[in-house]
Amino acid sequence: MNFTIDLHKLSRLCINANDIAHSDDLRREGRVFFIGANLPVYSTLETMYESYCQESSELFHVTFGESGKFEQNLEMVRQIKRNFSMRLIGRIGYHPSESQIERVYLAGLDMLDIPDASIENDHTGGDNRSTLPAVFKAATTTFARWSVVSSIPAGQDTPHAVHDKIIELLRSGVVPLLDFTRKRDHWGEEKVGSSYRFLAAEWRRYRVPLKPIMPLLKLTTPFVLADTAGYLRNVINKLDDRRILATSDLRRHLRTRGAEASFESAGL
């Protein structure tokens, strides 16, 4: 897949980055339904159902709140998965524990977005800079290949350091994204564009399947992602997407049954 950069979108991104994920908001933008997991569960589901019937979506994006609301947020994921047959990606702004990662997967998340804070929090220049947090190992072990995403807080470090982080995430099976919502002033349009071109080249080199998050990329990146496929190809793509989603649900079901069997054998 070839990506080109829309210079107008790039300029808008540099001026006002699109910080679209909030834990207390509910809205549709493009083909993405953004759901704040801190919202009341059942009234939110009713509103979602009414909106979903009016206009189709291609991706549900759930944003978790603070760690103290994990159980409430988890219930939101469960209920969405029970009531909608749609790919579900969840963003957790803190580093969840291994058991929490397992639970959000079993609850219904198809993809997990954990923003990477290691560049932001580590300015020592030591070995820790090149070591991914253990949370990513736990996430990639639990979720299917290329189903873990990480947004790099790009603007506050050098482009070279960000490019190294992109490669490091890809080597670990994590899909890197760029986040310019904070401290991006000193980069400038040229460096931002160069980093997006580098990101696209590395996506191609590692053959990352980006189709599941394509609706999100259309909103948050300067890439031109035109849909040039014909009617028949679009139908085939939709059928293939449903097959992939059904396979993901089956994989989760089998894992859930295995976990239940383990509890029963242990007398729990």
Side-chain angles (χ1 to χ4, degrees):
M1 183 179 297
N2 293 319
F3 294 91
T4 58
I5 288 181
D6 184 324
L7 296 180
H8 294 292
K9 289 179 70 176
L10 178 63
S11 296
R12 290 198 302 269
L13 178 69
C14 291
I15 294 171
N16 185 23
N18 195 10
D19 187 12
I20 55 178
H22 301 280
S23 59
D24 297 302
D25 289 349
L26 177 67
R27 74 185 191 283
R28 182 201 302 276
E29 190 168 344
R31 291 288 186 175
V32 184
F33 213 143
F34 292 97
I35 306 143
N38 283 352
L39 294 170
V41 175
Y42 294 104
S43 60
T44 300
L45 289 176
E46 290 178 359
T47 303
M48 287 176 61
Y49 182 75
E50 293 174 0
S51 178
Y52 184 72
C53 290
Q54 295 173 6
E55 185 178 354
S56 63
S57 300
E58 295 178 358
L59 182 68
F60 282 2
H61 184 292
V62 179
T63 303
F64 280 58
E66 57 272 26
S67 58
K69 292 191 175 181
F70 177 78
E71 294 298 332
Q72 174 188 336
N73 297 167
L74 191 67
E75 182 61 19
M76 178 71 83
V77 172
R78 288 195 190 100
Q79 294 303 325
I80 292 173
K81 197 64 176 181
R82 287 174 183 170
N83 289 277
F84 297 91
S85 179
M86 181 63 57
R87 179 171 284 106
L88 190 58
I89 181 172
R91 173 179 290 186
I92 301 180
Y94 51 89
H95 281 184
S97 67
E98 187 172 347
S99 64
Q100 286 176 324
I101 291 172
E102 176 81 6
R103 293 180 70 194
V104 296
Y105 173 74
L106 296 179
L109 285 188
D110 300 294
M111 304 184 73
L112 178 61
D113 179 5
I114 307 173
D116 180 69
S118 59
I119 290 180
E120 179 181 5
N121 295 332
D122 178 14
H123 292 277
T124 63
D127 292 338
N128 288 337
R129 181 180 289 268
S130 61
T131 302
L132 281 176
V135 65
F136 290 111
K137 181 177 180 181
T140 54
T141 300
T142 301
F143 283 78
R145 181 169 174 79
W146 299 119
S147 294
V148 179
V149 177
S150 184
S151 303
I152 303 171
Q156 64 263 46
D157 215 311
T158 66
H160 179 75
V162 171
H163 295 179
D164 286 346
K165 179 60 63 175
I166 288 171
I167 294 173
E168 187 177 19
L169 288 168
L170 286 166
R171 287 175 176 170
S172 299
V174 178
V175 182
L177 301 177
L178 295 178
D179 176 10
F180 285 98
T181 57
R182 293 171 294 167
K183 300 180 182 178
R184 60 189 181 277
D185 298 338
H186 69 281
W187 269 43
E189 217 171 285
E190 183 178 349
K191 289 182 179 178
V192 173
S194 176
S195 289
Y196 272 109
R197 292 184 185 94
F198 179 85
L199 176 63
E202 293 303 305
W203 280 343
R204 285 194 299 271
R205 186 160 74 95
Y206 282 85
R207 299 180 180 180
V208 179
L210 296 170
K211 184 180 175 183
I213 58 171
M214 197 65 71
L216 189 62
L217 297 181
K218 290 179 180 179
L219 294 176
T220 60
T221 73
F223 293 127
V224 177
L225 304 166
D227 185 6
T228 58
Y231 174 78
L232 181 59
R233 173 51 58 184
N234 284 332
V235 170
I236 293 173
N237 286 341
K238 287 181 180 179
L239 290 174
D240 187 55
D241 190 59
R242 302 312 299 174
R243 178 189 61 80
I244 294 171
L245 191 58
T247 301
S248 175
D249 289 340
L250 177 60
R251 179 179 182 269
R252 181 182 297 105
H253 174 71
L254 293 175
R255 185 162 185 152
T256 303
R257 292 292 297 272
E260 291 173 349
S262 295
F263 284 130
E264 289 176 1
S265 65
L268 298 176

